[in-house]
Amino acid sequence: VEVRSAVPPDLPEIHIDADRMSQVLLNLYLNAIQAMDGGGTVEVKASRDEAKKCTKITVSDNGPGIPVQDRERIFDPYFTTKADGTGLGLAIVHKIIEAHGGEIDIEGGPGRGTEVTVTLTDAGGEDGDRV
């Protein structure tokens, strides 16, 4: 697996719970890596939208993508398509992002890989650490 990142060095700090956000990113990385059974590329990008006062973090892979019939259920606890999965990874990610006042969006589909975008607004997570 090749990992590429594009994080601007001048990205401003935001209020988040650093430990919980690490868990979000770890779950997204593991899902991306596991989706690319034979290897591939994971890309991590971060950007800032000053007009909307938000920071976006995107994790994408070039795996097989999420089947259309599974898209509505991917954030449901215990829903998994993996033989050894618990179905808790994306459910936990979703709850953490919600607790930060953010949003999570998943794009892609069969044959196109998957792109997960986490949007964190400046108003979210004010009791967390600045990271």
Side-chain angles (χ1 to χ4, degrees), residues 17-78:
D17 180 322
D19 290 334
R20 293 183 83 198
M21 198 56 60
S22 290
Q23 184 175 11
V24 164
L25 294 172
L26 178 62
N27 284 347
L28 294 178
Y29 299 154
L30 290 174
N31 278 0
I33 291 167
Q34 291 170 356
M36 300 180 304
D37 193 23
T41 302
V42 176
E43 293 188 61
V44 183
K45 300 176 186 174
S47 62
R48 176 77 182 157
D49 186 332
E50 283 299 334
K52 294 182 180 179
K53 300 286 189 209
C54 67
T55 300
K56 292 186 178 192
I57 303 167
T58 303
V59 177
S60 60
D61 65 63
N62 60 354
I66 299 170
V68 175
Q69 67 271 17
D70 294 340
R71 294 205 47 150
E72 290 183 23
R73 301 188 59 206
I74 59 175
F75 295 120
D76 292 350
Y78 307 110

Side-chain angles (χ1 to χ4, degrees), residues 62-121:
N62 60 354
I66 299 170
V68 175
Q69 67 271 17
D70 294 340
R71 294 205 47 150
E72 290 183 23
R73 301 188 59 206
I74 59 175
F75 295 120
D76 292 350
Y78 307 110
F79 175 76
T80 184
T81 59
K82 302 173 192 168
D84 59 348
T86 63
L88 294 175
L90 287 177
I92 290 169
V93 165
H94 190 257
K95 289 294 183 191
I96 292 171
I97 298 306
E98 273 187 343
H100 279 80
E103 296 177 3
I104 184 167
D105 183 50
I106 298 187
E107 297 291 327
R112 298 184 309 159
T114 303
E115 179 177 278
V116 180
T117 301
V118 172
T119 303
L120 301 167
T121 61

